[in-house]
Amino acid sequence: MNAVVSPQRPALRVAGLSNLRDFGGHDLGGGRRVVSNRLFRAAAPCRVEPEGFGHLMELGVTTVIDLRRTDEATLEPSSLLGIDTIRLCSTPIEAGTGPRIDALRRGGTLTAEAMRALMIDTYRGFASDRGVAFGAALGMLLSASDRPLMLHCTAGKDRTGFLVALVQSVLGVAWETIAADYLVTNRDWDRAGVASAASLDPDAREVLLSADLVFLEAAFDEIARRHGSAERFAAHVLGPQASLLDRLADLVV
């Protein structure tokens, strides 16, 4: 990868929607860059306020890809349901953290260190056991990439963070830029409403709710070990849809 690092850009403001930003626009070197205002990422749009809908329309978003499990989406429905100008697409990905956190908690071993190890293993799973699910989400993203789209999970941190980093890596964005973009979640995500983590030990909760570069590096180390490159991993998880990778050329100007 090249060494061009794009500056960190300010958050986009849509009332009731946190962790929203354009994950395109990055320099690729040689006068090329990823298109801007086409690829957006966010936390789940479950509390978008009335004025926020207008702001989202101004971004031109026509497709929203939801990476949450079906039960997550049922528990906190999207505020965008029923908006006929936005197509909502569900490509559920099971992160697998919940049952393991519960088991550690029951055993009295849910320390910050245990949580960190769990999160590292979760991200490794993104590049192995969860690869097929990410392939489905990547295929949906590529199929809809001719117009502005928004990608989200619950926090826009882990599942979204990994998929965004994968797309950026395959496009040729510098790792330093990918890492910086991933870590912006720690600035832009409003964690106040995360009731599910309230009962955790404060140190373990901080690990769970933070974007930590060690997690993302673990996923890409697993990709390198299994496939050699992000490009080969993407082609592998897309399977019969691997030709969709040709659409990435339309995301570079």
Side-chain angles (χ1 to χ4, degrees):
M1 292 183 185
N2 60 62
V4 177
V5 181
S6 300
Q8 189 180 109
R9 291 161 293 172
L12 297 171
R13 301 299 177 190
V14 168
L17 180 60
S18 78
N19 208 11
L20 172 64
R21 57 192 185 273
D22 184 344
F23 67 89
H26 297 298
D27 292 331
L28 298 174
R32 301 176 307 127
R33 63 187 300 109
V34 183
V35 296
S36 298
N37 304 314
R38 185 95 65 86
L39 304 168
F40 298 97
R41 58 180 291 176
C46 300
R47 298 177 181 83
V48 179
E49 299 174 12
E51 62 270 33
F53 291 112
H55 295 153
L56 202 56
M57 295 303 103
E58 289 173 6
L59 295 177
V61 171
T62 58
T63 300
V64 173
I65 301 171
D66 188 348
L67 305 182
R68 296 179 298 167
R69 300 186 314 270
T70 302
D71 62 306
E72 291 178 274
T74 300
L75 185 63
E76 292 193 283
S78 172
S79 300
L80 307 179
L81 286 167
I83 298 180
D84 57 12
T85 57
I86 295 180
R87 179 174 61 127
L88 301 184
C89 302
S90 175
T91 56
I93 297 174
E94 170 61 76
T97 55
R100 297 172 64 192
I101 289 173
D102 290 343
L104 289 170
R105 183 159 38 191
R106 287 194 300 270
T109 57
L110 189 54
T111 62
E113 292 76 15
M115 183 67 82
R116 182 177 296 276
L118 185 153
M119 291 302 294
I120 289 172
D121 192 56
T122 295
Y123 272 70
R124 286 188 181 128
F126 290 169
S128 54
D129 298 343
R130 307 290 190 260
V132 172
F134 276 103
L138 177 60
M140 180 62 68
L141 184 155
L142 293 171
S143 295
S145 61
D146 58 328
R147 296 183 180 183
L149 61 85
M150 186 174 79
L151 178 70
H152 75 85
C153 49
T154 296
K157 177 175 78 75
D158 300 317
R159 289 166 288 188
T160 298
F162 172 70
L163 185 53
V164 165
L166 176 63
V167 171
Q168 291 173 332
S169 181
V170 176
L171 283 167
V173 177
W175 176 254
E176 294 88 345
T177 302
I178 294 171
D181 193 34
Y182 170 77
L183 293 172
V184 172
T185 286
N186 293 324
R187 181 197 72 183
D188 288 353
W189 178 38
D190 179 6
R191 309 189 312 185
V194 187
S196 60
S199 62
L200 298 179
D201 169 83
D203 292 337
R205 181 171 64 246
E206 184 61 27
V207 173
L208 175 65
L209 299 183
S210 295
D212 189 324
L213 192 55
V214 170
F215 305 160
L216 190 63
E217 289 172 338
F220 276 80
D221 285 347
E222 189 71 11
I223 285 174
R225 187 179 73 81
R226 288 174 175 264
H227 302 280
S229 70
E231 293 84 354
R232 290 179 180 175
F233 171 73
H236 174 77
V237 297
L238 281 168
Q241 292 187 298
S243 61
L244 285 173
L245 288 171
D246 293 341
R247 297 197 176 197
L248 290 172
D250 295 330
L251 296 175
V252 176
V253 293

